[in-house]
């Protein structure tokens, strides 16, 4: 069983007067390659504020998706749980989806 993971940036909030990114809305999807069962996590992550003259500062127009994903992974690994733990938990949730014997949808 292989699982494919997809990271998506759904929104970046920034101060337009300084181009400082304040927060990131994200979605992380896990899809089982064998049967297509898919689950996701999502959230909002606030960034520490950097001064424009800080050597780590990157202008908004120079940001890449890869750089923002790197920031997300660093923050997840430091403040929440490791990406490996996230993958493990998502794997458990996919396995549980297969065993669901009760439907919780609405008829309308």
């Amino acid at each position: 069983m292989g699982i494919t993971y997809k990271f998506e940036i759904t929104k970046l909030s920034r101060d337009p007067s300084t181009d400082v990114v304040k927060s990131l809305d994200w979605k992380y999807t896990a899809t089982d390659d064998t049967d297509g069962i898919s689950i996701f996590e999502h959230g909002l992550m606030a960034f520490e504020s950097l001064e424009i003259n800080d050597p780590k500062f990157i202008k908004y127009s120079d940001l890449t998706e890869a750089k923002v994903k790197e920031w997300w992974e660093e923050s997840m690994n430091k403040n929440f749980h490791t990406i490996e733990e996230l993958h493990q938990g998502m794997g458990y949730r996919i396995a549980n989806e297969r065993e669901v014997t009760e439907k919780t949808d609405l008829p309308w």
Side-chain angles (χ1 to χ4, degrees):
M1 170 177 85
I3 297 177
T4 301
Y5 300 96
K6 179 180 178 187
F7 173 75
E8 295 175 73
I9 299 166
T10 57
K11 183 170 70 172
L12 280 177
S13 298
R14 66 183 167 100
D15 179 338
S17 67
T18 61
D19 268 354
V20 173
V21 175
K22 301 290 187 182
S23 64
L24 158 71
D25 287 54
W26 57 271
K27 181 179 177 182
Y28 198 68
T29 305
T31 304
D32 188 299
D33 299 331
T34 57
D35 57 12
I37 291 177
S38 183
I39 54 100
F40 68 91
E41 297 279 344
H42 62 94
L44 170 71
M45 180 173 291
F47 292 112
E48 74 176 74
S49 191
L50 293 177
E51 297 297 322
I52 295 173
N53 58 358
D54 188 305
K56 293 190 285 184
F57 180 78
I58 300 172
K59 289 186 344 185
Y60 182 79
S61 59
D62 293 336
L63 280 176
T64 63
E65 184 176 7
K67 179 48 102 175
V68 175
K69 182 180 181 188
E70 180 184 312
W71 291 344
W72 174 78
E73 287 178 349
E74 287 174 2
S75 182
M76 290 295 286
N77 285 327
K78 178 180 175 187
N79 299 313
F80 301 100
H81 42 74
T82 67
I83 299 302
E84 292 78 23
E85 290 169 335
L86 178 62
H87 288 178
Q88 184 178 33
M90 293 177 102
Y92 290 140
R93 288 181 50 212
I94 286 173
N96 286 339
E97 259 323 284
R98 278 191 200 92
E99 298 173 10
V100 171
T101 58
E102 178 180 304
K103 296 289 186 182
T104 59
D105 57 335
L106 300 172
W108 58 89

